[in-house]
């Protein structure tokens, strides 16, 4: 078992990572809070067996447990679903001492976290992420929220969990595409923050592709540590440091928007976006071609898509103008200067961004 400590003064918490951790849920929660009443909010796809084993463990630790199930998919990350959960929690007798346990991927984590942050002005909250993306990214850092019909993640809060419990064994049932999409974000951490980790990924492709338990524990532990370092330095995204996590994401968000969300999983679009960003960095003379090649080869070995889809480049450019990082109409990107280091680069000429869309 590995442990990552997230240091945020009185909001500090642990992330525990290993195979078979679900059976330790009761002990994990009880050692951090009095847990007489728990509300388990679970994705319907993981109720059996994962939420069930979490609940059994909580009951053995003496808690009364209610379960609320949400239907899988991004559509559930809505105000309407949050309202349904608030009412269901009231009906289940939740009060200020109840603990919310989120079991599922990033959708459940964001939604249940938002419900926990708002119900009775804030309840203790534990994340039990079951997708690779949630284990390396969304469960760490305290961003919770729901979508509005016209804007993703527009309503939310910073609400740090009491702890995060990661059972790598849950990844055994994750569909292949979802697993690979999570690997897109894993490669991102190597490029932006950790050259040694990137090299480790290159030399462990076979283990990663067969979901080897030791490799998974290493990857998840390293990614959580790297994200925790960023979050510790910029908890509420006020000094801009957290923006390094957006490497590849300006291109990615444009691809997701233009292909109409649903064509690509987020992590797949991240892989394509990182290829665009690497080409852009090379064309600006910030990195040499060998880094573009290394990144491409690692992503290809992990069977992620690399090519920008054949859509209208003008539409992609227009979508990029809507990115959060655009200032006064000038494009800004997070770009590497070497493996393991990125910088925010302002005032990029749109023609260069356009040229970087395709190799
Ligand atoms: N809060 C943050 O900092 C942050 C960061 C990144 C992403 N996100 C959010 O995360 C969400 C995406 O999360 P996701 O990729 O985990 O998607 P998801 O929660 O939709 O899960 C993907 C699919 O996998 C299924 N699933 C989950 N665990 C499984 C398992 N162990 N076995 C089999 N199937 C399983 C789910 O039912 C779902 O169909 C988005 O809403 C995104 O905005 C949040
Ligand atoms: Zn992302």
């Amino acid at each position: 078992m590995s442990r990552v400590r997230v240091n945020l003064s009185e909001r500090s918490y642990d992330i525990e990572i290993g195979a078979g951790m679900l059976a330790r849920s009761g002990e994990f929660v009880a050692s951090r809070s009095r847990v007489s009443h728990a509300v388990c909010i679970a994705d319907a796809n993981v109720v059996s067996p994962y939420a069930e084993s979490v609940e059994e463990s909580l009951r053995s630790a003496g808690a009364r447990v209610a379960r609320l199930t949400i239907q899988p998919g991004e559509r559930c990350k809505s105000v309407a679903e949050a309202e349904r959960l608030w009412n269901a929690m009231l009906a289940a007798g939740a009060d200020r001492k109840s603990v919310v346990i989120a079991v599922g991927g990033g959708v459940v984590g964001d939604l249940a976290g938002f419900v926990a942050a708002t119900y009775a002005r804030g309840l203790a909250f534990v994340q039990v992420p079951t997708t690779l993306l949630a284990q390396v990214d969304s469960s760490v850092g305290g961003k919770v929220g729901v979508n509005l019909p016209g804007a993703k993640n527009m309503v939310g809060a910073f609400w740090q969990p009491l702890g995060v419990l990661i059972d790598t064994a849950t990844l055994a049932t994750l569909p292949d595409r979802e697993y690979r999409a999570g690997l897109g974000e894993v490669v991102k951490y190597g490029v932006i923050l950790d050259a040694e980790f990137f090299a480790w990924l290159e030399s462990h492709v076979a283990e990663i592709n067969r979901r080897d338990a030791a490799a998974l524990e290493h990857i998840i532990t390293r990614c959580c540590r790297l994200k925790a370092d960023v979050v510790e330095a910029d908890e509420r995204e006020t000094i801009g440091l957290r923006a390094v996590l957006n490497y590849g994401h300006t291109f990615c968000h444009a691809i997701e928007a233009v292909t109409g969300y649903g064509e690509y999983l987020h992590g797949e679009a991240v892989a394509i976006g990182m290829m665009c960003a690497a080409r852009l960095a090379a064309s600006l003379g910030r990195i040499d071609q060998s880094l573009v090649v290394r990144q491409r080869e690692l992503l290809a070995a992990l069977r992620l898509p690399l090519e920008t889809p054949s859509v209208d480049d003008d539409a992609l450019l227009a979508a990029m103008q809507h990115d959060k990082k655009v200032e006064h109409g000038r494009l800004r990107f997070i770009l590497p200067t070497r493996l393991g280091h990125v910088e925010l680069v302002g005032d990029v000429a749109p023609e260069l961004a356009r040229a970087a869309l395709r190799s």
Side-chain angles (χ1 to χ4, degrees), residues 230-241:
V230 172
V231 169
E232 285 171 4
D234 186 15
E235 184 183 1
R236 288 176 160 256
E237 209 166 342
T238 43
I239 60 168
L241 214 156

Side-chain angles (χ1 to χ4, degrees), residues 142-288:
K143 279 192 187 175
V144 299
V146 296
N147 304 323
L148 294 180
K152 267 202 79 175
N153 299 322
M154 188 46 87
V155 175
F158 286 97
W159 191 246
Q160 300 297 346
L162 195 62
V164 181
L165 190 70
I166 298 181
D167 189 338
T168 54
T170 61
L171 298 180
T173 53
L174 195 63
D176 187 64
R177 268 188 83 186
E178 297 285 353
Y179 178 66
R180 296 191 182 287
L183 291 174
E185 299 280 5
V186 169
V187 171
K188 180 193 78 179
Y189 285 109
V191 178
I192 65 174
L193 292 165
D194 192 343
E196 202 180 303
F197 178 58
F198 188 95
W200 186 94
L201 295 171
E202 290 177 313
S203 58
H204 291 79
V205 163
E207 290 88 335
I208 298 167
N209 281 335
R210 65 165 186 267
R211 307 190 196 187
D212 173 79
L216 287 173
E217 186 171 324
H218 176 74
I219 287 172
I220 295 161
T221 304
R222 191 67 197 134
C223 292
C224 286
R225 181 69 261 159
L226 291 167
K227 181 155 182 188
D229 287 343
V230 172
V231 169
E232 285 171 4
D234 186 15
E235 184 183 1
R236 288 176 160 256
E237 209 166 342
T238 43
I239 60 168
L241 214 156
R242 226 170 141 146
V244 301
L245 299 168
N246 286 331
Y247 173 55
H249 280 61
T250 304
F251 290 105
C252 161
H253 292 149
I255 292 165
E256 289 179 312
V258 171
T259 56
Y261 298 96
E263 169 95 7
Y264 291 100
L265 296 178
H266 174 69
E268 294 173 333
V270 168
I272 299 170
M274 287 194 294
M275 287 315 305
C276 299
R279 282 190 294 266
L280 178 58
S283 78
L284 289 166
R286 304 179 69 85
I287 56 170
D288 59 40

Side-chain angles (χ1 to χ4, degrees), residues 1-8 12-18 21 24 28 32 126-129 134-142 160-167 217 220-229 231-232:
M1 192 263 276
S2 315
R3 181 180 291 121
V4 170
R5 178 80 179 163
V6 187
N7 282 303
L8 297 166
S12 298
Y13 60 94
D14 292 321
I15 305 168
E16 289 189 357
I17 304 136
M21 297 297 281
R24 299 200 39 231
F28 182 79
R32 286 165 174 81
V126 172
Q127 294 255 32
V128 184
Q135 295 181 351
V136 299
D137 188 354
S138 63
S139 68
V140 185
Q160 300 297 346
L162 195 62
V164 181
L165 190 70
I166 298 181
D167 189 338
E217 186 171 324
I220 295 161
T221 304
R222 191 67 197 134
C223 292
C224 286
R225 181 69 261 159
L226 291 167
K227 181 155 182 188
D229 287 343
V231 169
E232 285 171 4

